[in-house]
Amino acid sequence: MNASKLKIYQFPCRQDNYGVILHDPQSGTTISIDAPETEAVGDVLESKGLKLTHILTTHHHGDHVEGNEALKSEYGCTIIGPAEEAAKIPGLDQSYGHGDTFDIAGHRIEVIGTPGHTLGQIAYYLPDQGVVFCADALFALGCGRIFEGTPEMMFTALERLAALPAETLVYAGHEYTLANAKFALSVDPDNSQLADRAREIEVMRDNGKPTLPTTLELELQTNPFLRADDPAIRKFLGMESHSDLDVFTEIRARKDRF
Ligand SMILES: [Zn+2]
């Protein structure tokens, strides 16, 4: 196994997306997590002098696959993506589903099924780097909108991510954190850690700083979508006797109306 540290470059693109490029200096392997925008990804590769070898696609939405074909024709990179959305991923070469593992340049990659936002979305967890790329499943202080799946699917997806080591660095697909913080406070108003974090986020965004990556530990303490079992949230919602899934479903429904 190749345990060398990957270099990770995160950059904003489109309106509120993040692109991420991973580079292994030892092998020259260069991986783009999704390809939200051809030009933005290309610019980062060019400025760092990197040759793209792989794209890891999380789901079929246009703002995650737009650059697949153009980048593949420019670099001849291999495109890996979700088996359950294989027909919808431009340029796909290899596909995987929940529980699969593969490796690139000796780096182990574990595939976590995270359906809900779309039916086949997957996250990529790199245990030797302590990072997960979960696109539109788990956000800082939020979770993805449920477009194709059910609340139960999304709840299960988030449980899978929440089971990773607490120190895992979480990279997500969008900078939604400021709006997510306002919503989080509306269902968890007495969480002082959340209130502190919300203030920090405001300062970061005022200074144009990204609020991602986050850590799983911080999300477990402050993200209401991972806290359906929290007594204070359950009491606030008047749902003390409901299941965690019911509470999660109610929180997701409130966010849709917020
Ligand atoms: Zn999406």
Side-chain angles (χ1 to χ4, degrees), residues 147-158:
F147 285 121
E148 297 178 7
T150 63
E152 193 168 5
M153 282 180 192
M154 182 61 95
F155 182 71
T156 301
L158 296 180

Side-chain angles (χ1 to χ4, degrees), residues 178-201:
L178 191 58
N180 286 345
K182 292 191 172 115
F183 171 74
L185 284 165
S186 80
V187 291
D188 194 9
D190 299 325
N191 182 339
S192 63
Q193 227 178 330
L194 170 60
D196 290 346
R197 188 178 178 196
R199 276 189 293 273
E200 283 165 21
I201 285 162

Side-chain angles (χ1 to χ4, degrees), residues 155 159 228-230 234 242-249:
F155 182 71
E159 277 189 318
D229 62 348
D230 179 71
R234 299 171 73 88
H242 283 70
S243 68
D244 290 352
L245 173 60
D246 282 351
V247 174
F248 169 78
T249 302

Side-chain angles (χ1 to χ4, degrees), residues 166-187:
E167 64 274 16
T168 303
L169 269 184
V170 177
Y171 286 82
H174 292 270
E175 179 61 65
Y176 291 156
T177 316
L178 191 58
N180 286 345
K182 292 191 172 115
F183 171 74
L185 284 165
S186 80
V187 291

